[in-house]
């Protein structure tokens, strides 16, 4: 049995577009995901988040289920277009009221809210009028929106995450076009990312300058999969390191060190925008904690020039820029997403962050897996998910005992939901959702989680 530190934070996570539904209710404006998912062929079966889990109407029940699981924290995101229908200027009070109620009910249930300001559902008006993350005014629009959130919710919300997974926004949204806004380019991802980083920094600046009295903390969540060198050759070791720099250091280096990684500057030339001196100063140090979403591991090898990246989302980014080939070990088990289950990769990832960024406090803000769960006689026996969590948590616990300052862990996800381009086929939840009746049923893994949070330890 391995025990976690006393103050370890156990949580679970969701995001607005994936669970809320009520896409046009009470004055909410459309987002780029409302638009993108309504285009034939963009999502599995043409599915959308129009109703999703209808969390907008069922949030009280969901909080009760969270309470049953014993989690201390709940990470959710605010739908920008619900509180600012066009992304700027006008505030929709009905949207504010929804999040007020959600927050109040969580606090009453003794669950600490962790709020993500941006989990990909950009107000559509900002895409149409300002080119989304490519326009340079977006950084101010985001900062103004963040300001509204701090002002209205900051008396009760003490844990903020500015952006969720900028890598996904840039690469999948502006590089491969598989996520909204569906653009395909080899240069736009670097421009979008540049604006994402600046937007984050401006929001943090406002938070620190105007809301210090709220005594909250603020950070950013980035995602990264582990890259293990395919062989012991120096070439493959360099390739794996380069892959991690193009994945995570792209966003974390500006924030922890003040600029992009050298290897990106060298390889991208003019496609990588430059920060001014003032911007570097503004950006550096703008995260009170290191938010990490971690799902899987791949081997990385020096590329011989032929692209062998075969993963579903091509989650190596723009491989030509890196000269890295990714592959899986045929021995590894994979989830329904085809993401390999490699618990030791999680520990190596945590150590890499510890070493590169001077041992920051880390929160795993997402980790989880999708399987084709089935409801049989009112129960979901998701033993594979339970095993996944057990082994990833074991790896986390080892990392902590080796000096990594991992302070909390949020399971993705609280319940099955709209899994973006994969629609409702990919079930990541601790709770099963019947998408016809919208009934929620705790899976075996949710019941197991209750044990873990109660004992603050995992049996291995
Ligand atoms: C994350 N990749 O998405 C998101 O934060 C969640 O909204 C999502 O449901 C969850 O992970 C599961 O997919 C990702 O291609 C999407 O590497 C794609 C990738 C990583 C994360």
């Amino acid at each position: 049995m391995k025990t976690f530190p006393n103050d370890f934070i156990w949580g679970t996570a969701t995001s607005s577009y994936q669970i809320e539904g009520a896409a046009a209710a009470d004055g909410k404006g459309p987002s780029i995901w409302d638009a993108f998912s309504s285009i034939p062929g963009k999502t599995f079966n043409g599915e959308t988040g129009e109703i999703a889990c209808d969390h907008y109407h069922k949030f009280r029940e969901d909080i009760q289920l969270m309470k049953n699981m014993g989690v201390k924290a709940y990470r959710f995101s605010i739908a920008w277009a619900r509180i600012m229908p066009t992304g700027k200027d006008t505030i929709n009070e009905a949207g504010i009221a929804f999040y007020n109620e959600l927050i109040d009910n969580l606090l009453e249930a003794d669950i600490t809210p962790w709020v993500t300001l941006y989990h990909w559902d950009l107000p559509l008006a900002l895409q149409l009028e300002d080119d989304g993350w490519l326009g340079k005014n977006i950084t101010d629009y985001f900062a103004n929106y963040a300001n509204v959130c701090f002002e209205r919710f900051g008396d009760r919300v003490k844990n903020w995450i500015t952006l969720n997974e900028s890598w996904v926004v840039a690469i999948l949204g502006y590089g491969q076009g598989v996520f909204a806004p569906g653009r395909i380019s080899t240069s736009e991802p670097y421009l979008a990312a540049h604006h994402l980083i600046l937007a984050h920094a401006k929001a943090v600046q406002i938070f620190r300058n105007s809301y210090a009295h709220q005594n909250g903390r603020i950070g950013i969540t980035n995602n990264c999969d582990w890259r293990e060198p395919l062989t012991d050759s120096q070439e493959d070791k360099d390739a794996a390191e380069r892959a991690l720099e193009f994945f995570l250091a792209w966003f974390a280096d500006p924030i922890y060190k003040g600029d992009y990684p050298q290897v990106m500057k060298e390889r991208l030339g003019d496609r990588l925008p430059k920060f001014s001196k003032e911007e570097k100063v503004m950006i550096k140090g703008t995260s009170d904690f290191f938010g990490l979403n971690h799902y899987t591991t791949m081997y990385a090898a020096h590329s011989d020039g032929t692209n062998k990246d075969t993963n579903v989302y091509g989650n190596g980014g723009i491989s030509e820029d890196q000269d890295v080939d990714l592959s899986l070990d045929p021995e590894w088990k994979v989830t329904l997403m085809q993401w390999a289950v490699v618990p030791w990769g999680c520990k190596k990832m945590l150590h890499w962050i510890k070493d590169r960024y001077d041992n920051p406090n880390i929160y795993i803000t997402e980790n989880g897996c999708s399987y084709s769960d089935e409801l049989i006689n009112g129960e979901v026996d998701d033993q594979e998910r339970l095993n996944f969590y057990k082994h990833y948590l074991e790896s986390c616990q080892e990392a902590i005992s080796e000096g990594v300052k991992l302070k909390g862990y949020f399971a993705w996800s609280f319940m099955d939901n709209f899994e973006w381009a994969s629609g409702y086929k990919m079930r990541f939840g601790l709770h099963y959702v019947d998408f016809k009746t919208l009934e929620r049923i705790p899976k075996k893994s949710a019941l197991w989680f209750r044990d873990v949070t109660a004992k603050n330890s995992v049996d291995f």
Side-chain angles (χ1 to χ4, degrees), residues 259-308:
D259 205 357
Y260 290 120
Q262 188 59 29
V263 68
M264 293 187 73
K265 293 190 202 170
E266 281 162 13
R267 287 178 167 256
L268 297 172
D270 286 346
R271 276 186 301 148
L272 188 71
K274 292 180 179 57
F275 294 117
S276 71
K277 242 190 222 145
E278 295 73 35
E279 287 172 339
K280 286 180 191 172
V281 172
M282 176 181 74
I283 295 164
K284 193 174 173 187
T286 48
S287 207
D288 294 332
F289 53 86
F290 201 107
L292 174 72
N293 291 353
H294 177 76
Y295 284 95
T296 188
T297 286
M298 292 179 102
Y299 281 124
H302 185 82
S303 177
D304 59 10
T306 56
N307 184 8
K308 298 198 190 96

Side-chain angles (χ1 to χ4, degrees), residues 18 119-120 164-165 295 313 315 339 366 412 419-420:
Q18 295 181 273
H119 200 123
W120 312 348
N164 179 67
E165 302 189 350
Y295 284 95
Y313 283 134
N315 53 355
W339 294 353
E366 284 180 29
W412 183 272
E419 178 52 34
W420 309 112

